[in-house]
Amino acid sequence: MENISDATKQFIDLRRHMWMAGIEVDLRRLIWQIAVTGKYISSKIQESNRKLAGFENIYGEEQLALDRSSDEIIKRQLEFSGFVNQYASEERESIIQVGKGGEKYIVTADPLDGSSLVDTNLAIGTIIGIHRESILTGGDKSLIAAMYITYGPLITMIYSAGNGTHEFVLNREGEYVLSEESIILKERGNIYSIGGLRKDWAQKHHDYIRCLESEGYKLRYSGGFVPDINQILIKRGGVFTYPALKGNPNGKLRLIFELQPMAFLMEQAGGMATDGRKSILSIEPKTLDQRCPIYIGSKYEVEKAKAFLDGNKTAI
Ligand code: AFP
């Protein structure tokens, strides 16, 4: 759907966009059902923020941690979806059955990533992966769609079902309407988002970061994976990295719940995602909570990271 005018975009809601993109009906319904949970999670954030309603929420019910209550909202939505067989969440030890058996999809979630930022009023988000096959043994074709919802000044939702990467904004009527269609990253950007403590970085990572700084990259790091990635997508370039650390070679972020969905969305936008050597989507997870170093964003910066980590100075 090339060249949709801004005026027209506001009339293209999420369901119409997915229908126009020819996405199969069950997957369209599932993506929409998950997107709707964003409204409920957002009201939980409002309602349970201690600055608004004390440590008890306005109903006086026992206050679940926000990430666990967000997880419950998603689980309940999936139980009634009719399309989901299993659900894996960063908040749960194991994969759980939510369907009767035989349903088409398996859903992964980081229900509320960055929840430690809620009291600072910084943006946080929900990260979703939709799989056809087993999460652990389905290979790199298992992931067929990904999405994330950002709870910031606006509630926005980015999705892809292999049809490019697109942004929607939740309007006053409670509809997700198209705001950025077919996001495509430039060859390179000018922002870098770097996690982990400098004292724990390997020398090759230090050298890479120093090179970006010598090329004038601007530091943009909030401590929230979702808004930090969202900034690279919406600004059409740059790099986010949470590297291998001394004493923690797998870094901090989780392969299944955080990195695979973001890698899917970034690659659909013409970007790249690697652990420093292999593409994220080619890594077969061994365990649910497997962590992985990450370099994700526009091609120039990610290829440069690979060159530094390979010690291949000529390619730098
Ligand atoms: P929380 O969910 O505990 O706030 O952690 C957020 C996160 O998993 C991810 O969203 C950030 O990119 C990363 O941790 C920030 O880690 P540091 O606090 O070590 O910078």
Side-chain angles (χ1 to χ4, degrees):
M1 290 175 281
E2 298 306 317
N3 309 322
I4 303 174
S5 71
D6 285 349
T8 312
K9 281 178 186 170
Q10 61 182 315
F11 298 109
I12 299 182
D13 68 14
L14 175 60
R15 282 178 284 189
R16 183 191 301 241
H17 186 268
M18 293 191 288
W19 175 77
M20 290 162 73
I23 296 168
E24 58 167 330
V25 59
D26 289 353
L27 184 55
R28 297 205 305 262
R29 288 180 181 157
L30 177 58
I31 288 171
W32 185 77
Q33 287 170 354
I34 295 172
V36 165
T37 61
K39 303 187 209 177
Y40 309 137
I41 292 173
S42 169
S43 56
K44 271 282 180 197
I45 293 168
Q46 298 294 325
E47 158 197 310
S48 59
N49 185 317
R50 63 184 170 79
K51 290 187 169 62
L52 288 177
F55 285 98
E56 290 281 307
N57 69 18
I58 46 176
Y59 310 109
E61 67 198 13
E62 188 269 316
Q63 196 57 41
L64 265 181
L66 255 180
D67 30 20
R68 288 204 305 280
S69 56
S70 302
D71 173 60
E72 268 308 306
I73 289 170
I74 295 170
K75 172 180 167 279
R76 258 182 260 135
Q77 184 79 334
L78 297 180
E79 280 170 342
F80 297 105
S81 77
F83 312 113
V84 181
N85 185 19
Q86 293 177 316
Y87 171 52
S89 163
E90 194 178 284
E91 298 304 319
R92 295 171 188 269
E93 297 289 311
S94 58
I95 300 173
I96 61 169
Q97 188 73 24
V98 289
K100 296 188 175 62
E103 289 86 353
K104 273 184 188 173
Y105 304 114
I106 301 168
V107 172
T108 67
D110 183 352
L112 201 62
D113 183 84
S115 49
S116 66
L117 300 174
V118 169
D119 58 354
T120 65
N121 198 28
L122 279 172
I124 55 180
T126 296
I127 307 171
I128 299 286
I130 300 176
H131 293 250
R132 261 244 196 269
E133 316 292 335
S134 154
I135 299 172
L136 292 171
T137 58
D140 59 357
K141 296 288 173 284
S142 167
L143 186 63
I144 56 161
M147 54 200 288
Y148 66 80
I149 301 166
T150 307
Y151 309 101
L154 295 173
I155 295 177
T156 58
M157 192 276 296
I158 293 252
Y159 96 97
S160 178
N163 60 318
T165 295
H166 317 280
E167 183 198 50
F168 291 76
V169 63
L170 194 66
N171 67 13
R172 273 189 293 274
E173 292 71 40
E175 278 292 341
Y176 282 104
V177 293
L178 184 64
S179 47
E180 304 253 4
E181 154 84 356
S182 300
I183 295 169
I184 293 293
L185 297 187
K186 296 174 287 195
E187 182 62 20
R188 63 180 290 180
N190 62 8
I191 57 178
Y192 70 135
S193 196
I194 50 175
L197 299 177
R198 281 177 189 268
K199 70 177 181 62
D200 296 334
W201 292 351
Q203 189 54 49
K204 287 176 179 173
H205 182 77
H206 259 291
D207 296 345
Y208 168 62
I209 297 301
R210 199 171 297 121
C211 176
L212 294 179
E213 288 166 342
S214 71
E215 293 181 15
Y217 279 71
K218 291 184 284 188
L219 178 60
R220 295 288 184 273
Y221 187 76
S222 75
F225 187 44
V226 170
D228 289 343
I229 290 289
N230 192 55
Q231 183 164 198
I232 289 168
L233 266 177
I234 299 305
K235 297 294 184 188
R236 302 312 195 262
V239 63
F240 173 97
T241 172
Y242 206 107
L245 302 172
K246 289 173 191 159
N248 195 349
N250 294 322
K252 175 177 184 181
L253 300 183
R254 290 176 177 82
L255 175 58
I256 289 174
F257 299 114
E258 295 166 309
L259 303 184
Q260 283 183 340
M262 292 308 198
F264 186 93
L265 292 164
M266 202 61 82
E267 287 193 3
Q268 285 289 317
M272 288 177 74
T274 170
D275 67 350
R277 288 176 175 73
K278 290 184 290 202
S279 106
I280 290 293
L281 292 179
S282 69
I283 299 172
E284 188 122 336
K286 303 271 180 305
T287 60
L288 266 187
D289 67 347
Q290 182 171 332
R291 297 168 194 258
C292 209
I294 179 77
Y295 296 82
I296 181 170
S298 35
K299 284 187 174 146
Y300 172 83
E301 293 89 345
V302 177
E303 292 288 10
K304 182 185 279 289
K306 288 172 70 174
F308 268 93
L309 294 172
D310 282 349
N312 177 2
K313 296 282 185 192
T314 55
I316 291 163

